[in-house]
Amino acid sequence: MRVLGIDPGYAIVGWGILDHTGNRFTPVAFGAVTTEAGVPFDQRLRQVYEGVSEVIRTYQPEALAIEQLFYQHNQTTVIGVAEARGVILLAAAQAGLPIQEFTPMQVKMAVTGYGKAVKKQVQEMTRILLHLEKVPKPDDTADALAMAITYCHTSRNQLQNFQPRRIGPI
């Protein structure tokens, strides 16, 4: 299965594409869609939408994993990120991709086995799982790859791929 992981934002949208077969991950491509400060916000949203749509067209993922939005401290930032998530989800929906959202704690558990892992631990384990020489930069890209790994580790996804075998007569 080919999965697109997204770490949403409006300045930087990290993305990562993984192929997942059995218990093996193969990184296909990863990067970031970036927009510049000072550009009108509606144009930045359009750039995010077009960038994510291009990634989807180019790599043809079968599913999208995206970070679930949570409010932390800056109300202005969370609103902008929510709007960026909206255009990202629209691009995925228009492509017919199933969408799965994950909390930061779910990602930490899936990638490191510890729900309170720090960001550096998650990034290093992502590097190890994907057999990469170094942690991808910017950090948003590494986070997007971790999101894709989380999708692949979910029991729901594994149940979808489960092929029952018949053993002996019934």
Side-chain angles (χ1 to χ4, degrees), residues 55-121:
V55 168
I56 292 170
R57 273 192 303 278
T58 301
Y59 297 103
Q60 299 291 304
E62 299 168 70
L64 174 89
I66 190 167
E67 186 174 25
Q68 193 172 60
L69 188 61
F70 67 99
Y71 173 74
Q72 200 166 20
H73 299 291
N74 189 333
Q75 194 172 14
T76 304
T77 301
V78 79
I79 291 169
V81 173
E83 291 174 346
R85 279 183 88 254
V87 299
I88 293 165
L89 294 173
L90 174 62
Q94 287 178 328
L97 298 179
I99 299 164
Q100 185 71 39
E101 299 179 27
F102 298 101
T103 66
M105 184 178 281
Q106 288 174 307
V107 174
K108 292 172 183 182
M109 279 297 299
V111 176
T112 70
Y114 179 59
K116 294 183 181 179
V118 296
K119 191 175 192 85
K120 294 280 185 210
Q121 290 171 309

